[in-house]
Amino acid sequence: MSKTLGIGVIGCGNISAAYMRLAPMFTGIELRACADLNAEAAHARATEFGLRADTIDGLLASDDIDIVVNLTIPAAHFKVSKQILEAGKHVYSEKPFVLSREEGLELARIAAEKGLRVGSAPDTFLGGAHQLARHLVDAKAVGTITSGTCFVQSPGMEMWHPNPDFFFQPGGGPILDLGPYYLSNLIQLLGPVKRVCAMSSSAQEYRTITSEPRSGEKIKVETPTTIHAVMQFHSGAQITYCASWDVWEHGHSNMELYGTLGTLHVPDPNFFGGEIRMTEKGSFTNGTPAWDHPFGKPNDGERANYRAAGLADMAQAIQSGRGHRCSLEFALHVVDVMTSILASGETGQFVEIETSCDRPAALGIEEARALLA
């Protein structure tokens, strides 16, 4: 790499610590400054991680910042990303990238005019487990994928998050909050989605916070909290996707892909690692290859956690002129699918997906190693 790109962060809330803690693992990027509407939050994170605390305007005007990571709440993602692009900086956003197809297309227009890159989380599909799944799908180890299921169900977010309000507002909910992990992985495995249909509901009008420091406060629910959807991919695969914050316990696997020669069990795409299991027709096999992928190795307690891999890949891609894996087109297609699922849940009608994208390039073992410092 000929240059280390300077990284600034806007938004110093709960998720910012993960980026600041893990970004030093990667080559080609250096976290230098952070900003927040709450100056105290920015100063606290800056002190914790040895960064420069700045105002938002000051950070956007800084010559030593090349890419700005947008870690604001989902409802602010579009406005802040647009501000970053207009300041002449590349932008990498937390998920969901934006809240509508129109917002994404507007950012694409600005980025193209200014010759800038836009990327977006999640990057968990770059993890060792999911890249092994990609390898097996591409090798047709279980034949052609014809169908599958995805389940992400829990009692909700108000039991652990200190400020869970936004999870239950428009822009939140289990589809827009958790859907990016599942859909990004499905699209990198199977390609783009053609059309969707869905049903949606909410079990409660209000949720009671049980986490500290706001235990006992009530939150009004303004977005569906249970969604059952079916997605038809251009490849022909049909995937059932169930996402809910109204389920106390269940026995479903996170992700199963059914092929003409067997079944592939894929671990939770909310994480980088996990166990891949495969059958030959109806019998489990030990036929999964040895896979020494660096992003599958535990590095955060017992878990593999390589958050900022997508950011590092984008920085490397900017330098080399290649496409980056967590691209605007890819993230926009994910948003289009999610918002179409929500629209179908309201109308009960099939919705044709207007956007498309290429599958991100697979991240092989050596390519992953090249991202690490």
Side-chain angles (χ1 to χ4, degrees):
M1 300 282 284
S2 59
K3 177 186 176 186
T4 295
L5 298 187
I7 309 299
V9 171
I10 295 179
C12 295
N14 205 46
I15 195 62
S16 64
Y19 276 88
M20 294 171 184
R21 180 168 60 89
L22 297 169
M25 290 192 304
F26 298 97
T27 189
I29 57 174
E30 181 180 62
L31 273 169
R32 292 173 178 165
C34 61
D36 195 286
L37 287 174
N38 179 349
E40 290 183 5
H43 281 282
R45 284 290 188 239
T47 300
E48 184 179 1
F49 292 99
L51 306 176
R52 180 178 79 246
D54 208 337
T55 64
I56 292 173
D57 288 342
L59 187 149
L60 293 178
S62 296
D63 291 336
D64 67 338
I65 300 300
D66 302 290
I67 304 173
V68 179
V69 181
N70 180 358
L71 303 183
T72 59
I73 62 171
H77 282 180
F78 169 70
K79 178 181 177 181
V80 173
S81 290
K82 182 178 180 181
Q83 187 178 3
I84 294 166
L85 290 172
E86 289 175 340
K89 310 290 188 187
H90 306 288
V91 60
Y92 185 88
S93 177
E94 246 307 315
K95 53 81 190 169
F97 164 50
V98 287
L99 298 183
S100 72
R101 182 175 60 250
E102 291 72 23
E103 288 179 346
L105 292 173
E106 174 66 5
L107 293 183
R109 181 190 65 79
I110 298 170
E113 285 180 355
K114 292 182 171 288
L116 296 169
R117 297 284 188 112
V118 177
S120 178
D123 53 5
T124 46
F125 71 89
L126 300 176
H130 306 297
Q131 288 302 304
L132 173 54
R134 169 69 175 265
H135 172 75
L136 293 170
V137 168
D138 288 352
K140 293 193 178 294
V142 293
T144 299
I145 305 298
T146 59
S147 62
T149 59
C150 292
F151 288 89
V152 53
Q153 301 183 128
S154 74
M157 316 298 270
E158 68 273 29
M159 300 170 189
W160 65 271
H161 198 284
N163 292 293
D165 309 65
F166 71 92
F167 288 113
F168 301 98
Q169 296 169 353
I175 288 292
L176 287 172
D177 182 64
L178 297 172
Y181 298 106
Y182 284 76
L183 291 170
S184 294
N185 205 30
L186 285 171
I187 292 165
Q188 76 106 5
L189 292 171
L190 304 177
V193 178
K194 182 178 181 180
R195 63 175 182 162
V196 301
C197 63
M199 293 186 292
S200 61
S201 64
S202 296
Q204 305 172 62
E205 185 177 358
Y206 291 90
R207 313 281 290 224
T208 301
I209 300 174
T210 56
S211 60
E212 297 297 340
R214 298 173 55 201
S215 182
E217 289 186 32
K218 291 187 179 295
I219 307 170
K220 184 173 175 59
V221 176
E222 301 179 79
T223 192
T225 51
T226 291
I227 301 94
H228 289 189
V230 177
M231 298 173 287
Q232 182 182 35
F233 287 70
H234 283 279
S235 68
Q238 300 172 16
I239 305 294
T240 298
Y241 177 42
C242 300
S244 179
W245 286 338
D246 299 319
V247 175
W248 287 100
E249 197 276 334
H250 70 91
H252 298 289
S253 301
N254 291 111
M255 185 178 290
E256 297 180 0
L257 299 178
Y258 310 132
T260 53
L261 300 178
T263 294
L264 194 62
H265 293 254
V266 182
D268 190 347
N270 195 12
F271 303 101
F272 288 84
E275 181 188 16
I276 295 287
R277 295 184 298 146
M278 185 174 70
T279 75
E280 289 180 358
K281 297 188 176 178
S283 301
F284 279 102
T285 177
N286 294 322
T288 53
W291 192 251
D292 189 29
H293 199 286
F295 294 170
K297 296 179 179 179
N299 66 320
D300 192 12
E302 297 181 355
R303 285 192 347 206
N305 187 359
Y306 294 87
R307 190 181 293 269
L311 172 63
D313 176 69
M314 187 172 90
Q316 190 181 89
I318 290 169
Q319 299 253 46
S320 66
R322 65 167 171 83
H324 57 290
R325 291 171 172 87
C326 296
S327 69
L328 184 152
E329 293 78 14
F330 179 63
L332 179 56
H333 185 60
V334 170
V335 167
D336 197 6
V337 174
M338 292 190 299
T339 54
S340 295
I341 286 172
L342 292 173
S344 178
E346 293 179 358
T347 65
Q349 304 296 312
F350 275 94
V351 177
E352 301 289 328
I353 307 302
E354 295 190 18
T355 63
S356 188
C357 67
D358 294 329
R359 296 167 75 201
L363 184 70
I365 291 171
E366 294 305 318
E367 293 163 306
R369 286 177 181 156
L371 291 176
L372 293 172

